[in-house]
């Protein structure tokens, strides 16, 4: 017999495995958020370890793996560079290319977080069926994976930054809080799509279309200042409906030009990040008790 | 994660480790082979959902008093694993109520091997971390688990390279190294060679002294008779019988019209 006292001693640190549980049919809704968050935080190591293991299994840690992670977005940047140059009648230089890479690489981070997140719950299979833990760890771990895939593109960007002769200013540091907001935003997306994928297994096949449209609607291939006069009315609309307009726009502006974005951009970006995170994770948490019976 | 949401302010029933009342659980599965965007739209258009409900447990009721070593028998698909999962707080009941007093093995044996591309060690680590152990605890246990399973040479190889015997040795080993109050072993005794079976049986005897209760799912009637002091028989989600292991097994065998054949008894 494990003595009751030894069990009780562990209890405070492990609320999740308390010695008395009653399971009843749950009515839709949320579990106690505070204890959920505590458990989530306590198991953050899992999200890190799962993402590390996945990166290792995908050979991301090898030289060629790293090279591919850089080469793939770089080639895409090259393709878009040519495309935009042809469409706009040429004349775009390294300055544009640097901005393009900054925006595109980070856009692919968001897209990767979303796609990995969508597959995260379904991919958890047996672990979900045989272990009780806060499921939100799965999409969050997917975001970490996407982040570590994005990281090697940072030095590449700086190569083009130098090449284009872009300025080095302390104002560039404003890109960091924007990056942070982008990560928070992506966590919400990953959770949302991770949960949706359980109900509609075709969610992930619909994502590429969404991503394509989203890319075109974001200031990555074009800049707000590029917009022809007859399109000027579109910018304010995109600014409100497209989260990445402010998030990516602010990030690239700070990183490439060393300009601190307008206060309004900060506010909109923050609102989107918080909204996405809150809605995505709450939706996920409200559904997650049902995941095991639907896998 | 029903274990959080499910915890109500209620009083533990004294002397009872697990109480299952009128428990019903259904799985919902999609049967689409190639899920496409196009399919989704047509389904939406017709207002259908391609979801099928599988009733895995139907109105199951039983009590597990402290000190019970419960054998669970029944044919494949009877709902044995489903029952274990629901007691572990993984599957929420559709109907009924489950009361659990004691720490359940936080990682059911089959949680290991969830990702065949990862190594055995990675699987143990991830399962342990998900179950709430610290890196340190997991690392310590991984050593003990590997040693007990006797697969030191393979522990860092991807699990897809494991034989089924190695797989279940690892699964068994994980389950018994989590030192829970309530030990749950789901079909992890069956495979493995003779030497490992003996070792596993010894370990089980030892654990009987430490655990408050034990749940053993096995197709080996000999292990059930040897290790358990109570048994239940599930058939197609229904509780057919509860009682002394010997009685239940006899009825079960009668039901199957096989009789206590040599095969079932010798196979631990
Ligand atoms: N993840 C799942 N999704 C859908 N149906 C499932 C799932 N797991 C089990 N089932 C179904 O539930 C029933 C009981 O399964 P299970 O509890 O695994 O049986 P046992 O462990 O006794 O072999 C079976 O009919 C099986 O097909
Ligand atoms: Mg089973």
């Amino acid at each position: 017999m494990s003595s009751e006292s030894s069990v009780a001693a562990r209890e405070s640190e492990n609320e999740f495995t308390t010695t008395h549980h009653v399971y009843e049919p749950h009515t839709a809704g949320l579990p106690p958020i505070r204890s959920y968050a505590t458990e989530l935080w306590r198991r953050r190591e899992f999200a890190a370890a799962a993402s590390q293991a996945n990166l290792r299994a995908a050979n991301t840690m090898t030289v060629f793996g790293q090279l591919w992670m850089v080469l793939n977005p770089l080639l895409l940047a090259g393709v878009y560079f040519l495309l935009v140059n042809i469409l706009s009648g040429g004349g775009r230089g390294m300055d544009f290319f640097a901005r393009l890479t900054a925006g595109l690489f980070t856009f692919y981070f968001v897209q990767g977080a979303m796609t990995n997140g969508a597959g995260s719950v379904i991919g958890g299979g047996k672990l979900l069926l045989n272990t009780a833990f806060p499921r939100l760890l799965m999409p969050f771990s997917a975001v970490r994976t996407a982040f570590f895939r994005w990281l090697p593109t940072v030095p590449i960007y700086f190569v083009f930054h130098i090449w284009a002769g872009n300025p080095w200013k302390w104002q560039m540091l404003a890109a960091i809080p924007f990056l942070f907001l982008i990560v928070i935003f992506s966590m919400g997306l990953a959770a949302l799509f991770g949960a949706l994928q359980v109900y509609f297994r075709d969610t992930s096949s619909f994502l590429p279309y969404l991503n394509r449209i989203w890319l075109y609607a974001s200031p990555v291939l074009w800049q707000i200042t590029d917009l022809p006069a007859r399109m000027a009315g579109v910018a304010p609309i995109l600014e409100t409906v497209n989260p990445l307009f402010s998030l990516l726009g602010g990030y690239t502006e700070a990183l490439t030009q060393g300009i601190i974005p307008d206060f309004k951009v900060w506010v909109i970006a923050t609102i989107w990040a918080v909204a996405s995170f809150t809605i995505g994770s709450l939706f996920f948490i409200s559904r997650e008790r049902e995941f095991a019976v639907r896998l | 994660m029903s274990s959080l949401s499910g915890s109500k302010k209620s009083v533990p029933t004294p002397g009872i480790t697990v109480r299952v009342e009128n428990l019903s659980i259904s799985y919902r599965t999609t049967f689409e082979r190639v899920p496409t965007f196009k399919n989704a739209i047509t389904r939406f258009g017709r207002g259908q959902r391609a979801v099928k409900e599988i009733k895995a447990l139907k109105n199951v009721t039983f009590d597990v008093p402290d000190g019970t070593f419960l054998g669970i028998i029944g044919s494949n698909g009877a709902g044995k694993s489903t029952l274990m999962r629901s007691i572990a707080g993984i599957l929420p009941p559709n109907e009924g109520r489950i009361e659990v007093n004691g720490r359940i093995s936080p990682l059911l044996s089959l949680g290991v091997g969830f990702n065949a591309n990862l190594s055995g060690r990675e699987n143990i680590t991830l399962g342990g971390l998900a179950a709430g152990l610290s890196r340190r605890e997991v690392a310590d246990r991984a050593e003990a688990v590997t040693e007990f399973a006797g697969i030191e040479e393979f522990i860092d190889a991807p699990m897809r390279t494991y034989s089924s015997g190695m797989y279940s040795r690892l699964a068994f080993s994980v389950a018994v190294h989590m030192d829970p109050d309530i030990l749950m072993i789901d079909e992890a005794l069956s495979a493995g060679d003779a030497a490992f079976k003996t070792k596993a049986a010894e370990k089980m005897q030892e654990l009987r002294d430490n655990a408050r209760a034990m749940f053993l799912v096995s197709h080996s009637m000999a292990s059930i008779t040897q290790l358990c002091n109570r048994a239940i028989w599930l058939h197609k989600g229904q509780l057919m019988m509860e009682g002394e292991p010997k009685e239940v097994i006899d009825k079960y065998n009668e039901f199957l019209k096989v009789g206590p054949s040599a095969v079932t008894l010798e196979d631990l």
Side-chain angles (χ1 to χ4, degrees):
Chain A
M1 271 275 178
S2 319
S3 67
E4 281 297 326
S5 57
S6 83
V7 170
R10 277 172 292 174
E11 211 69 326
S12 54
E13 67 177 68
N14 192 354
E15 191 179 326
F16 190 68
T17 41
T18 41
T19 48
H20 176 68
H21 282 296
V22 173
Y23 307 119
E24 275 168 344
H26 60 265
T27 45
L30 294 166
I33 293 297
R34 182 186 285 270
S35 54
Y36 187 96
T38 316
E39 282 309 318
L40 189 70
W41 179 248
R42 218 167 60 75
R43 287 161 212 233
R44 64 193 179 279
E45 287 264 32
F46 167 78
S51 140
Q52 277 161 10
N54 282 328
L55 287 168
R56 220 176 301 133
N59 283 327
T60 330
M61 294 318 196
T62 64
V63 176
F64 281 104
Q66 296 273 349
L67 202 63
W68 173 244
M69 278 198 301
V70 170
L71 217 54
N72 184 38
L74 204 55
L75 288 173
L76 282 163
V79 169
Y80 281 118
F81 182 67
L82 283 177
L83 189 73
V84 173
N85 250 328
I86 291 168
L87 289 181
S88 64
R92 306 286 189 120
M94 276 319 288
D95 170 42
F96 171 68
F97 193 69
R99 208 179 62 218
L100 181 64
T101 47
L104 201 61
F105 291 172
T106 313
F107 180 84
Y108 281 118
F109 159 67
V110 178
Q111 178 183 318
M114 204 155 107
T115 315
N116 294 353
S120 63
V121 178
I122 297 297
K126 272 188 181 169
L127 188 66
L128 256 67
L129 275 177
N130 293 304
T131 313
F133 64 97
R135 310 305 195 198
L136 208 44
L137 286 168
M138 307 296 282
F140 286 179
S141 166
V143 174
R144 187 186 182 277
T145 306
F147 187 81
F148 277 85
R149 296 216 161 129
W150 168 84
L151 264 187
T153 65
V154 175
I156 303 300
Y157 164 73
F158 282 111
V159 171
F160 294 114
H161 188 94
I162 295 166
W163 196 341
N166 281 351
W168 293 91
K169 297 182 184 168
W170 66 264
Q171 285 92 334
M172 285 170 68
L173 292 177
I176 296 173
F178 272 93
L179 183 63
F180 175 75
L181 290 176
I182 291 172
V183 172
I184 299 292
F185 176 76
S186 306
M187 287 166 91
L189 278 191
L192 180 68
F193 284 101
L196 278 181
Q197 178 82 4
V198 176
Y199 294 91
F200 304 101
R201 298 300 164 97
D202 33 22
T203 307
S204 57
S205 44
F206 144 86
L207 283 182
Y209 302 99
L210 176 70
N211 281 320
R212 199 51 67 85
I213 294 167
W214 206 346
L215 175 62
Y216 298 156
S218 304
V220 173
L221 304 180
W222 48 271
Q223 254 202 331
I224 306 155
T225 45
D226 296 344
L227 286 177
R230 68 195 153 80
M231 296 279 278
V234 179
I237 299 175
L238 286 181
E239 190 177 16
T240 25
V241 302
N242 181 5
L244 290 183
F245 193 94
S246 306
L247 285 162
L248 268 187
Y251 170 79
T252 23
E253 197 179 10
L255 186 64
T256 61
Q257 312 299 321
I259 300 170
I260 295 191
D262 286 347
F263 181 66
K264 190 176 160 196
V265 178
W266 288 89
V267 173
I268 299 181
T270 310
I271 291 175
W272 273 115
V274 172
S276 161
F277 184 83
T278 316
I279 296 172
S281 5
L282 288 186
F283 175 68
F284 188 97
I285 297 174
S286 72
R287 309 309 318 180
E288 74 163 41
R289 283 161 292 173
E290 218 185 56
F291 290 169
V293 292
R294 283 179 178 269
L295 281 182
Chain B
M1 194 184 37
S2 36
S3 358
L4 274 183
S5 55
S7 314
K8 295 267 165 62
K9 293 271 173 290
S10 63
V11 194
T13 316
I16 293 286
T17 305
V18 172
R19 164 165 284 175
V20 174
E21 287 167 303
N22 305 100
L23 177 67
S24 295
I25 290 184
S26 314
Y27 289 98
R28 295 188 184 82
T29 332
T30 43
F31 283 97
E32 287 182 305
R33 291 208 191 288
V34 212
T36 59
F37 187 45
K38 195 175 131 229
N39 276 358
I41 289 194
T42 30
R43 272 200 284 113
F44 274 130
R46 297 200 212 104
Q48 307 174 335
R49 288 290 309 275
V51 170
K52 190 171 190 291
E53 199 167 308
I54 298 166
K55 287 198 161 64
L57 288 177
K58 299 165 195 158
N59 204 10
V60 172
T61 303
F62 65 94
D63 271 354
V64 181
D66 292 346
T68 302
F69 303 102
L70 186 75
I72 304 174
I73 59 176
S75 37
N76 294 323
K80 305 182 295 294
S81 302
T82 306
L83 180 63
M84 299 273 261
R85 286 177 184 137
S86 64
I87 295 172
I90 297 159
L91 294 178
N94 290 98
E95 282 163 43
R97 182 178 184 276
I98 305 168
E99 178 185 336
V100 178
N101 299 308
R103 282 161 36 91
I104 301 251
S105 169
L107 177 66
L108 295 193
S109 49
L110 295 171
V112 170
F114 74 97
N115 189 336
N117 288 324
L118 303 183
S119 70
R121 191 188 302 278
E122 284 169 327
N123 271 293
I124 299 174
T125 308
L126 291 178
L129 289 174
L133 301 178
S134 70
R135 280 245 191 205
R136 171 94 243 135
E137 288 171 307
V138 169
D140 290 349
R141 270 170 227 215
E143 287 308 313
V145 165
T146 312
E147 200 193 312
F148 185 86
I151 53 166
E152 287 93 338
E153 313 94 281
F154 303 100
I155 195 68
D156 291 309
M159 281 194 72
R160 68 183 127 81
T161 64
Y162 285 25
S163 72
S164 67
M166 283 158 65
Y167 182 96
S168 53
R169 269 152 67 164
L170 186 61
F172 175 80
S173 189
V174 165
V176 296
H177 282 87
M178 291 288 163
D179 50 46
D181 295 336
I182 304 170
L183 182 66
M184 299 185 126
I185 298 199
D186 189 350
E187 286 186 35
L189 268 182
S190 47
D193 49 34
F196 186 76
K197 279 177 184 168
T198 319
K199 198 168 152 190
E202 277 165 16
K203 185 74 183 175
M204 294 287 288
Q205 296 286 2
E206 180 194 321
L207 286 166
R208 281 181 49 145
D209 305 331
N210 294 317
R212 181 191 299 180
M214 181 184 85
F215 290 76
L216 174 66
V217 172
S218 179
H219 289 292
S220 152
M221 298 307 145
S223 354
I224 301 268
T225 334
Q226 244 179 54
L227 296 166
C228 302
N229 54 17
R230 190 125 190 106
I232 59 172
W233 162 26
L234 289 175
H235 183 69
K236 293 186 177 166
Q238 263 154 343
L239 180 66
M240 302 291 280
M241 196 182 162
E242 183 189 357
E244 292 288 308
K246 183 119 188 29
E247 290 168 36
V248 177
I249 289 170
D250 285 346
K251 270 278 183 311
Y252 175 58
N253 281 332
E254 206 175 287
F255 179 82
L256 294 179
K257 297 203 182 64
V258 286
S261 78
V263 186
T264 39
L265 280 180
E266 274 167 24
D267 171 35
L268 176 84

